[in-house]
Amino acid sequence: MAANSSVVSVAVAATTVPGVSTVADFSDLQEIKKQLLLIAGLTRERGLLHSSKWSAELAFSLPALPLSELQPPPPLTEEDAQDVDAYTLAKAYFDVKEYDRAAHFLHGCNSKKAYFLYMYSRYLSGEKKKDDETVDSLGPLEKGQVKNEALRELRVELSRKHQARGLDGFGLYLYGVVLRKLDLVKEAIDVFVEATHVLPLHWGAWLELCNLITDKEMLKFLSLPDTWMKEFFLAHIYTELQLIEEALQKYQHLIDVGFSKSSYIVSQIAVAYHNIRDIDKALSIFNELRKQDPYRIENMDTFSNLLYVRSMKSELSYLAHNLCEIDKYRVETCCVIGNYYSLRSQHEKAALYFQRALKLNPRYLGAWTLMGHEYMEMKNTSAAIQAYRHAIEVNKRDYRAWYGLGQTYEILKMPFYCLYYYRRAHQLRPNDSRMLVALGECYEKLNQLVEAKKCYWRAYAVGDVEKMALVKLAKLHEQLTESEQAAQCYIKYIQDIYSCGETVEHLEESTAFRYLAQYYFKCKLWDEASTCAQKCCAFNDTREEGKALLRQILQLRNQGETPTSDTPVQL
């Protein structure tokens, strides 16, 4: 076995401690730092630059090692020595993206490192050709049947090697990537799980596995190694599956055990708060992150989404200019600029920048979803549908794309279609009131009123962010002549508006007071009816009705009418 493999095995042994609690896993931060520095080097040698960067960033957040603790690079084996010339030349070609050339000079090499780079070069060559063909001949919105032609050959070769137990952790990772690209999801999951057992320090394998897990049930059945890396994986997958409370607990634990300076963890916490729409908290954390790491570009598109929601034009403009100065050709930068133009209602320009992001990376989820939103703004529903479908192909867990598809089919007046898509969005975000309100409206259009009532009530129960669920529920009760239930809903709605202390205008406030005034009037509760009628006078659309009702109440009081004893809930 090659020395590189033996070093990796040592690293695996050091990180895998079966039967030990996760707290004990983090007891020796010096050892963890050594492992991170080791894997950062091993992944860099194999061209796995994102994994190398992740490991290096995490290592940087831990205290520096003394000279006596620093480890020399792993020794070369006979196989490595024989391949060193070919590997060194090929790696130079690989680094300047001449993948076919790199593969040509690595053909026939026997060392594990050279073999991986040979197969990985062939894979990336196929991906590059596929992306070039997609962008040049089809444009970012055309569906097309462009495939990576190298995948099937790579699968056959890697499968043969796998059966002969000839793949190390990196080889297993690449085999899993090839299987995923061929839509062989179950086989890919099995291979990625195997890769995490053989080489638990490689973050890329954990991340690929994360992208294939669609719900918590799938997670339960995975046999994962007991290693400190598993905690990072669980925190990440919980964030992806919208299990935000569990994710935040994991990240807090990681901070407590010694990773408080990790910009990756800080950014993930900000993303988690973004996902539960705690906008103030997320903005605060992102602003702190910018001070800590001012040249960071990762997750800045998420930061721009928050600035967009809050209509913070000057801050979004500053962020866009700042990222342009750092790197104008990064997908995140293009998305931030796209958001800036969208906030200024320049939707054609915004769509242009999202398209530019997709030319840089056709698999970038955020750009597909945001482009779908822009086409919706431009009333181009067919293009919006295509964009949202691409987003779902990239990641089936993207609730925004499912929700966007629901909205487009709602515009097209196809309620059965939009019901399907809203249901999928609701499954991904069961406690998001917007999904529940959309579902309720859909059921209402399909005349499934019992289901609609359930959705509106549930939306109110989970915390109605748009304060519309109770009004819609009340109107539904009105429609069904359930006057008392309708009144109760309007009363709760008014109480909620006044208790939250917001100064924003609630469009349905006048509707609620109009209904309650009429309801109390019918019940001969003159005081309550008079109070609500006076409130109606404060709104343009109900002023005349309010005045007319007040005159009627005065007239009936003068005639000696008295209130009934059947008193509904007071305002």
Side-chain angles (χ1 to χ4, degrees):
M1 202 177 195
N4 266 354
S5 302
S6 64
V7 170
V8 173
S9 301
V10 170
V12 173
T15 55
T16 310
V17 191
V20 179
S21 72
T22 51
V23 177
D25 282 348
F26 292 100
S27 58
D28 189 351
L29 289 181
Q30 271 201 351
E31 186 56 40
I32 288 174
K33 176 140 184 168
K34 286 181 201 173
Q35 293 163 11
L36 284 167
L37 291 172
L38 169 69
I39 198 68
L42 294 175
T43 45
R44 187 170 59 251
E45 287 174 349
R46 287 160 178 79
L48 298 166
L49 302 182
H50 289 289
S51 290
S52 180
K53 185 173 84 164
W54 186 87
S55 304
E57 282 181 349
L58 207 57
F60 181 77
S61 70
L62 295 173
L65 291 172
L67 181 62
S68 59
E69 293 293 331
L70 290 173
Q71 292 177 312
L76 295 175
T77 62
E78 191 62 43
E79 283 181 333
D80 288 324
Q82 286 174 6
D83 294 341
V84 72
D85 289 345
Y87 166 79
T88 304
L89 178 63
K91 183 65 167 63
Y93 292 145
F94 181 95
D95 288 343
V96 292
K97 299 185 178 177
E98 295 183 9
Y99 301 123
D100 288 328
R101 206 172 174 193
H104 173 74
F105 284 96
L106 287 165
H107 186 66
C109 288
N110 295 315
S111 66
K112 288 261 196 318
K113 184 166 65 176
Y115 176 75
F116 174 83
L117 197 64
Y118 167 63
M119 298 299 276
Y120 194 40
S121 297
R122 289 170 62 190
Y123 165 75
L124 288 179
S125 169
E127 285 295 289
K128 188 171 183 295
K129 285 167 187 167
K130 185 191 79 169
D131 290 346
D132 290 347
E133 195 177 333
T134 303
V135 170
D136 292 344
S137 63
L138 298 168
L141 273 180
E142 297 298 327
K143 183 73 180 80
Q145 294 299 315
V146 183
K147 302 287 182 190
N148 180 345
E149 298 298 336
L151 289 177
R152 296 195 184 281
E153 276 183 38
L154 290 171
R155 183 201 170 193
V156 171
E157 291 178 42
L158 287 166
S159 173
R160 195 181 301 129
K161 197 99 167 170
H162 183 230
Q163 286 166 2
R165 300 189 175 278
L167 292 178
D168 62 1
F170 293 113
L172 287 165
Y173 159 76
L174 182 57
Y175 184 31
V177 169
V178 169
L179 291 170
R180 177 178 66 77
K181 286 281 183 180
L182 290 167
D183 291 323
L184 299 167
V185 175
K186 188 178 181 304
E187 294 93 324
I189 289 172
D190 292 340
V191 171
F192 284 130
V193 168
E194 189 182 344
T196 61
H197 278 275
V198 174
L199 185 60
L201 291 171
H202 180 207
W203 177 240
W206 292 100
L207 209 51
E208 286 287 349
L209 184 57
C210 181
N211 292 334
L212 297 175
I213 306 302
T214 53
D215 55 50
K216 202 173 181 181
E217 287 304 306
M218 279 181 76
L219 196 57
K220 284 179 187 172
F221 293 107
L222 292 182
S223 172
L224 298 170
D226 290 322
T227 160
W228 59 267
M229 283 287 283
K230 182 179 171 184
E231 293 300 292
F232 282 90
F233 165 76
L234 289 174
H236 192 94
I237 190 71
Y238 287 154
T239 308
E240 291 288 303
L241 295 175
Q242 308 296 328
L243 302 166
I244 304 301
E245 196 175 323
E246 293 95 324
L248 288 171
Q249 283 174 359
K250 288 282 180 194
Y251 284 126
Q252 188 56 54
H253 170 61
L254 291 169
I255 285 171
D256 293 342
V257 296
F259 290 95
S260 58
K261 293 181 180 175
S262 167
S263 58
Y264 163 76
I265 291 175
V266 174
S267 70
Q268 285 294 105
I269 291 171
V271 169
Y273 279 114
H274 163 270
N275 287 357
I276 53 170
R277 294 180 75 78
D278 190 338
I279 296 170
D280 291 331
K281 187 83 173 170
L283 281 171
S284 168
I285 296 169
F286 269 124
N287 282 319
E288 281 303 310
L289 182 63
R290 294 265 295 156
K291 288 177 192 170
Q292 180 186 332
D293 192 355
Y295 294 95
R296 182 187 179 89
I297 294 182
E298 290 97 330
N299 303 119
M300 287 302 113
D301 50 339
T302 305
F303 183 32
S304 76
N305 292 342
L306 294 162
L307 297 173
Y308 177 93
V309 169
R310 279 288 155 89
S311 299
M312 298 167 80
K313 275 187 187 174
S314 58
E315 289 87 347
L316 189 49
S317 172
Y318 175 76
L319 180 66
H321 281 98
N322 185 234
L323 294 185
C324 258
E325 286 173 7
I326 299 167
D327 187 349
K328 66 165 74 171
Y329 297 113
R330 276 281 290 269
V331 285
E332 294 92 342
T333 303
C334 293
C335 287
V336 171
I337 298 169
N339 271 338
Y340 171 67
Y341 281 121
S342 182
L343 189 56
R344 293 181 60 182
S345 298
Q346 294 176 257
H347 300 297
E348 290 85 358
K349 267 192 175 180
L352 194 67
Y353 273 95
F354 295 134
Q355 285 176 350
R356 189 173 290 182
L358 291 165
K359 282 185 178 180
L360 293 167
N361 182 358
R363 291 172 295 282
Y364 196 71
L365 172 66
W368 282 118
T369 307
L370 292 168
M371 194 156 72
H373 296 343
E374 293 313 304
Y375 282 124
M376 284 280 284
E377 292 288 344
M378 291 188 277
K379 307 287 188 291
N380 188 345
T381 48
S382 62
I385 287 168
Q386 281 182 298
Y388 289 135
R389 287 196 189 285
H390 274 291
I392 289 164
E393 280 176 24
V394 174
N395 185 352
K396 287 184 170 57
R397 292 191 307 261
D398 182 26
Y399 76 92
R400 297 169 305 167
W402 291 108
Y403 184 63
L405 278 169
Q407 288 180 308
T408 52
Y409 282 110
E410 197 172 341
I411 289 166
L412 294 169
K413 294 185 168 50
M414 299 168 76
F416 279 107
Y417 278 88
C418 70
L419 179 64
Y420 169 75
Y421 293 114
Y422 283 145
R423 271 180 179 159
R424 292 297 296 262
H426 169 59
Q427 284 165 6
L428 292 164
R429 299 269 290 188
N431 294 323
D432 192 322
S433 62
R434 294 167 303 159
M435 313 297 141
L436 286 157
V437 168
L439 261 180
E441 288 173 339
C442 222
Y443 280 124
E444 214 175 320
K445 283 172 188 161
L446 293 167
N447 212 32
Q448 297 181 32
L449 302 184
V450 175
E451 292 299 320
K453 282 198 277 190
K454 283 180 191 172
C455 288
Y456 292 142
W457 182 252
R458 172 83 180 136
Y460 170 69
V462 298
D464 182 19
V465 292
E466 291 171 338
K467 299 277 185 278
M468 287 301 296
L470 281 174
V471 172
K472 290 184 181 295
L473 184 57
K475 286 180 177 176
L476 205 50
H477 284 306
E478 266 189 78
Q479 193 181 325
L480 297 167
T481 62
E482 296 167 354
S483 55
E484 192 171 332
Q485 290 96 319
Q488 298 283 357
C489 289
Y490 279 128
I491 289 165
K492 279 195 180 77
Y493 171 67
I494 296 292
Q495 286 171 341
D496 283 358
I497 288 174
Y498 282 83
S499 66
C500 72
E502 289 181 22
T503 55
V504 294
E505 185 183 345
H506 293 275
L507 300 174
E508 298 292 344
E509 202 175 333
S510 59
T511 308
F513 280 122
R514 176 202 283 143
Y515 183 85
L516 287 171
Q518 291 168 349
Y519 172 71
Y520 286 132
F521 182 80
K522 283 174 190 169
C523 294
K524 297 186 180 180
L525 293 162
W526 311 133
D527 289 344
E528 289 83 353
S530 181
T531 303
C532 291
Q534 283 168 354
K535 292 280 188 185
C536 286
C537 294
F539 303 96
N540 292 332
D541 58 331
T542 54
R543 185 172 292 133
E544 295 308 316
E545 287 175 73
K547 287 178 181 175
L549 203 60
L550 283 169
R551 285 195 293 272
Q552 279 183 279
I553 292 166
L554 185 62
Q555 190 180 350
L556 289 167
R557 273 180 161 162
N558 290 338
Q559 290 171 6
E561 286 272 8
T562 55
T564 63
S565 58
D566 183 16
T567 308
V569 178
Q570 301 285 316
L571 264 176

